[in-house]
Amino acid sequence: MRKYFDSALKILTKVFDDGSYSNRALSTDKTADMTTKLVYGVLERNVEIEYVLSTLVKKQPKGKAYTLLKIGTYALMHLDNVPAFAVVSECVEVAKSNGLHGQSGFVNAVLKRVSRKEYRLPKPTDKNYLSVKYSLPQWFIDQLFLEYDKDKVQALLESDVTTEESIRIKTNFDVKEVTDKLDKAKVKYTFGECGTILASADNRAVKDMFNSGWITFQATSSIKAVKALNVKSGKVLDLCSAPGGKAVLIAELSPESEVTACDLYKHRVELIDKYAKRMGVDNITSVQNDAVKLKKEWIGQFDYVLVDAPCSCFGTYKKHPEVFLNRDFGDSLKIAETQKKILQNAIKYTKSGGTIVYSTCTLFNVENIDVVNSVLSNDVKLVNFDCDCLPNDKSTIRILPTNGSDGFFIAKLQKN
């Protein structure tokens, strides 16, 4: 177990101390399944773990020592197949091998107290009970209950994290060709929304089809944003495009359209080009552009504009639990101001009679309907969706991160 604890410590140090995303930190190392389990386990249970440690230690250590305590605490509380004495002793040895000789005794003492269950957990009547039980920040729990009904919040809190990927088949490919390959490789799969397939990506058959451009990984909520735009033909602008999944789907669905896909940074623009090349679409032009700044030559030039706006990403917390480490509701308030500027520009870029879709992968009104309401006028109105995958009697939809989906918001507008 020592090597797993050691590698988990190195990866989580990048996440906690350097602000790296877990998937990026994991991708830099050839990690074992147990290491991955420890990393995601600590991140998913971070609020609970910090609460437990706070009941045992008055002054928490910093840096690697604290991270190592979190790893050991997670293992003691949630891994049934590893003896408690082994967790404690291995963590002590990892402390010594990582330059924490002076704190190895402290690590030993605290983890022994965890193994003896000397910590306290909140009672169901305590305000922070749900926060600790589901290991989510208290402000997040409070905001959920402010904006969603009790049943929806409970379903969200109790939904499991899935390890399956949402796989989108290239639009001109036969679904049976893909499923035949999966069947031949004995890959288990199920069918999801919007024509997707749900399966593990950790197998050769899926990887080969991905590299060949037969399939791509795309969440159903992302597909729904493209469906909402319902491009027939014309000039399309994807203002915040990277890595390019939505722009590529638009290009596939409407090969006669001209798609302009933008991002702020050069390296992210290159991701769009790479995505389009892998999927074999040639009607996308990638452009480096700051969506917040008005580009005068684009005013009134596009039939369709997609704004998948930069956001707090709270709707993706089940896949990226570290989103709570450096963000809170205050960040949503700040981000919303940027979103409003981008949406205002998008409307200016749209031709009269053109369509705008605004979407985010976050959960709260301040970044969603409040942003949309800020641009409504006699010249810009909400219109109902007119496509598959979305209800045709609505112009906005909030999707909760349950059943493997990302949390998402989509709104459809038309410029008069």
Side-chain angles (χ1 to χ4, degrees), residues 331-389:
D331 293 289
S332 289
L333 297 172
K334 295 174 185 175
I335 293 169
E337 296 307 309
T338 298
Q339 293 165 336
K340 290 174 184 177
K341 292 176 183 176
I342 294 173
L343 185 53
Q344 288 164 1
N345 286 343
I347 291 166
K348 291 174 183 176
Y349 297 150
T350 308
K351 294 178 181 179
S352 179
T355 301
I356 306 106
V357 163
Y358 174 82
S359 64
T360 72
C361 58
T362 195
L363 299 173
F364 301 127
N365 288 335
V366 65
E367 294 183 67
N368 294 333
I369 192 62
D370 292 353
V371 173
V372 171
N373 286 337
S374 74
V375 301
L376 297 181
S377 67
N378 291 333
D379 296 323
V380 181
K381 63 180 180 179
L382 285 164
V383 291
N384 286 349
F385 303 122
D386 55 348
C387 61
D388 59 348
C389 295

Side-chain angles (χ1 to χ4, degrees), residues 154-275:
Q154 201 64 38
L156 168 62
L157 296 177
E158 293 179 355
S159 63
D160 293 328
V161 179
T162 179
T163 57
E164 294 180 324
E165 291 285 349
S166 175
I167 296 171
R168 178 179 72 78
I169 300 169
K170 189 172 180 178
T171 53
N172 62 350
F173 271 49
D174 186 346
V175 174
K176 192 173 186 305
E177 288 186 75
V178 173
T179 56
D180 282 349
K181 281 188 173 289
L182 294 176
D183 290 336
K184 186 176 181 180
K186 298 182 179 179
V187 176
K188 293 181 180 179
Y189 62 89
T190 56
F191 291 99
E193 293 183 278
C194 304
T196 58
I197 289 174
L198 305 177
S200 169
D202 191 21
N203 62 81
R204 177 51 58 191
V206 170
K207 290 176 181 177
D208 286 346
M209 286 191 287
F210 176 86
N211 292 331
S212 300
W214 284 36
I215 63 170
T216 193
F217 303 128
Q218 190 164 17
T220 55
S221 47
S222 173
I223 295 171
K224 288 177 180 180
V226 172
K227 294 280 190 176
L229 199 61
N230 199 16
V231 174
K232 303 300 183 184
S233 64
K235 296 181 68 176
V236 186
L237 177 63
D238 184 357
L239 259 182
C240 310
S241 185
K246 296 180 185 66
V248 166
L249 179 53
I250 292 168
E252 287 182 34
L253 291 171
S254 182
E256 69 279 10
S257 293
E258 301 173 27
V259 182
T260 301
C262 312
D263 203 86
L264 178 59
Y265 300 106
K266 182 181 177 182
H267 73 278
R268 288 179 62 78
V269 174
E270 291 170 352
L271 291 177
I272 301 170
D273 292 333
K274 186 177 179 181
Y275 203 134

